[in-house]
Amino acid sequence: MLRTPSGGAGHGAAATDSGLMSIGTVLNVLRDEFPEVTISKIRFLESEGLIEPQRTPSGYRKFSAHDVERLGHVLRMQRDHYLPLKVIREHLEAMERGEAVPLPALGRQREGEAAPEPTEGPTAARIGRAELLAAAGVEEEELREWESYGLVTPLEDGAYDAEAVTVASLVVELGRFGIEPRHLRVMKAAADREAGLVDQVVAPLRRHRNPQTRAHAEARAKELAGLTVKLHAALVQTALGVRLP
């Protein structure tokens, strides 16, 4: 359950008398459950019509408790069920109409559960170039520079995987500390090597003639990817002698 500011210490100045919150306060609330969420991500979800915060006369966003809960639902469905934004939007609209609509069966396989029967794979959420530029808050020249270093790569149809929004947001945030895209080539190279290692493990399963075995390969790839990310983070923290909250 998401916690919203109650006017206590640390939140009273951020929430108005009407209970509306600034985007910074919303970010702090959401990060309890979604530590990787960014302001750019919230703005992108707004641009996709998933939320409609109020605006002050000067143009600042103000979010209600309902907006925050809705954002939590959206982020949870992306994280736990890998649903495209279009499907999430349709599901939320159906819920608001009072319809009892179950989520599509695209969720993660829980530990101890049998692998689901393979079906046509869900289409990954994609965004267009203009949407990515708007979500990251950058100009065309900057995006071309990121592409030149392989930090973001368009798909064959010119669109981008939705994860490109996360990458773009992190590149922008690192830039505030003076870390330029060219400095991030070493991270991209390390990520490619880690992905190659995971691919070596699951490649035999992906080539298997049994559809259930191929479906299991994707679950195994996700599990291994999560472990490599955790190990990478732990190694970086150890090398720097710091611990992240």
Side-chain angles (χ1 to χ4, degrees), residues 102-171:
L103 281 172
L106 306 179
R108 292 176 177 162
Q109 179 184 345
R110 297 179 183 274
E111 185 175 354
E113 290 182 349
E117 288 295 326
T119 58
E120 289 294 323
T123 301
R126 298 183 178 189
I127 62 170
R129 191 176 186 87
E131 295 170 319
L132 179 58
L133 289 168
V138 299
E139 300 296 330
E140 179 73 33
E141 182 178 352
E142 292 176 274
L143 180 55
R144 284 199 299 268
E145 182 184 14
W146 298 352
E147 291 174 336
S148 71
Y149 293 123
L151 300 174
V152 291
T153 305
L155 303 170
E156 292 183 0
D157 60 1
Y160 297 82
D161 187 283
E163 193 64 25
V165 176
T166 300
V167 173
S169 300
L170 292 172
V171 171

Side-chain angles (χ1 to χ4, degrees), residues 7-242:
H11 290 298
T16 67
D17 293 338
S18 61
L20 298 179
M21 291 166 272
S22 68
I23 194 169
T25 301
V26 172
L27 184 67
N28 290 333
V29 172
L30 291 171
R31 275 184 168 166
D32 286 346
E33 184 178 353
F34 309 100
E36 295 183 357
V37 71
T38 64
I39 286 178
S40 295
K41 173 76 169 182
I42 296 174
R43 289 172 176 164
F44 172 68
L45 293 176
E46 178 189 0
S47 72
E48 289 293 297
L50 275 302
I51 52 169
E52 296 181 4
Q54 300 180 35
R55 295 274 187 159
T56 66
S58 55
Y60 291 103
R61 297 172 177 82
K62 289 297 179 180
F63 297 78
S64 66
H66 173 73
D67 293 327
V68 179
E69 288 295 332
R70 185 179 174 93
L71 269 171
H73 286 311
V74 172
L75 294 170
R76 207 169 289 116
M77 283 188 277
Q78 283 189 307
R79 180 194 65 193
D80 298 342
H81 300 278
Y82 302 102
L83 296 178
L85 293 181
K86 179 177 182 293
V87 175
I88 293 175
R89 186 187 305 109
E90 292 171 352
H91 179 80
L92 292 176
E93 290 173 352
M95 287 179 60
E96 291 181 346
R97 293 193 298 268
E99 301 175 10
V101 182
L103 281 172
L106 306 179
R108 292 176 177 162
Q109 179 184 345
R110 297 179 183 274
E111 185 175 354
E113 290 182 349
E117 288 295 326
T119 58
E120 289 294 323
T123 301
R126 298 183 178 189
I127 62 170
R129 191 176 186 87
E131 295 170 319
L132 179 58
L133 289 168
V138 299
E139 300 296 330
E140 179 73 33
E141 182 178 352
E142 292 176 274
L143 180 55
R144 284 199 299 268
E145 182 184 14
W146 298 352
E147 291 174 336
S148 71
Y149 293 123
L151 300 174
V152 291
T153 305
L155 303 170
E156 292 183 0
D157 60 1
Y160 297 82
D161 187 283
E163 193 64 25
V165 176
T166 300
V167 173
S169 300
L170 292 172
V171 171
V172 170
E173 290 188 28
L174 288 168
R176 297 193 183 106
F177 293 89
I179 300 178
E180 300 178 11
R182 60 188 176 88
H183 299 142
L184 302 177
R185 288 180 294 182
V186 62
M187 295 186 181
K188 178 62 168 64
D192 288 342
R193 288 194 296 270
E194 292 166 11
L197 178 61
V198 171
D199 191 59
Q200 287 181 26
V201 175
V202 300
L205 298 177
R206 284 175 170 160
R207 292 194 297 265
H208 203 280
R209 298 176 65 180
N210 188 320
Q212 290 186 341
T213 302
R214 292 199 300 270
H216 179 65
E218 297 309 308
R220 179 62 58 86
K222 291 171 185 175
E223 181 181 4
L224 287 171
L227 291 173
T228 57
V229 168
K230 289 179 181 178
L231 176 60
H232 182 89
L235 291 173
V236 171
Q237 292 179 63
T238 300
L240 293 174
V242 300

